[in-house]
Amino acid sequence: MRTGLVIGVAVAAGLLGLVAALLGSGPGPLLRTDAGQRVAQAALQAAAPAAPEGVATARRGAAVPGFTVPALDGDAYALPGDFAGRPLLVNLWASWCAPCIEEMPELDRYARSQGAEGTRVLGIALDDADAVRAFLERIPVDYPQALDVPGPADAGVRLGNPRGVLPYSVLISADGRLLKTRIGPFEHGEIDAWARH
């Protein structure tokens, strides 16, 4: 009986501490952990409408269902096939999304650090092509960009983001499996540890 009371008090104290931390600093610290990301991802998926019929969505640990997105330069990228053989970090963003804009230099730094054998980075803007081009003229990045129209079957939905939260990133293995998802922006230096698999 006494042991149960001690455990109950400890659990209650832990929950109070978590609530106090969230009230004081928001969910940021929790979202910086893999466990927090898994909980957030599960909550988003539970609260989201089902994907349209025929639209396959990626699940952690499983092969990413193939789809195509137009490249900003007019070609197209087939995911994950065009990037097979090396890991791929896909970042979904928009020119009007302040946290997306803040993390762009960090994504660019990471992409440049990977060289010819490391993880590739692909940005997919859920945005208007003219707005994306204007943004990239002001803040250029050295990794490829694709475009998609926001909606119930966009690239974010297909990559496991049914609520369209931005920024949203995924890590895809060299053999096309979804390894990790990330809701929210990366801070400086954070991608390196996150992308280790």
Side-chain angles (χ1 to χ4, degrees):
M1 177 84 159
R2 187 167 166 89
T3 303
L5 179 62
V6 170
I7 291 172
V9 168
V11 168
L15 289 174
L16 284 173
L18 178 60
V19 168
L22 291 175
L23 289 173
S25 61
L30 186 60
L31 285 178
R32 302 244 178 269
T33 68
D34 189 52
Q37 284 288 324
R38 285 178 186 250
V39 168
Q41 186 75 27
L44 283 177
Q45 290 176 341
E53 188 174 331
V55 175
T57 59
R59 299 278 180 230
R60 189 181 269 229
V64 173
F67 65 97
T68 303
V69 290
L72 186 59
D73 66 9
D75 292 331
Y77 296 110
L79 277 96
D82 284 351
F83 298 91
R86 286 172 51 194
L88 173 66
L89 188 161
V90 179
N91 175 258
L92 288 111
W93 67 285
S95 63
W96 47 262
C97 167
C100 301
I101 294 166
E102 289 175 23
E103 79 173 347
M104 296 287 276
E106 175 61 8
L107 287 160
D108 192 46
R109 179 207 59 81
Y110 178 75
R112 290 172 188 266
S113 76
Q114 294 303 294
E117 301 299 320
T119 300
R120 289 183 270 192
V121 177
L122 172 67
I124 301 178
L126 300 179
D127 206 337
D128 172 74
D130 291 336
V132 170
R133 285 187 183 96
F135 172 82
L136 292 173
E137 283 181 23
R138 289 190 326 271
I139 303 174
V141 295
D142 198 34
Y143 55 93
Q145 296 292 324
L147 291 168
D148 203 359
V149 177
D154 68 31
V157 171
R158 293 173 184 273
L159 291 172
N161 184 16
R163 300 296 289 187
V165 177
L166 294 178
Y168 177 77
S169 298
V170 299
L171 184 64
I172 300 172
S173 68
D175 64 353
R177 290 175 299 108
L178 183 66
L179 298 175
K180 292 182 178 180
T181 61
R182 170 67 178 232
I183 299 164
F186 289 105
E187 291 185 0
H188 182 70
E190 208 173 13
I191 298 174
D192 301 83
W194 181 82
R196 287 190 195 106
H197 41 88

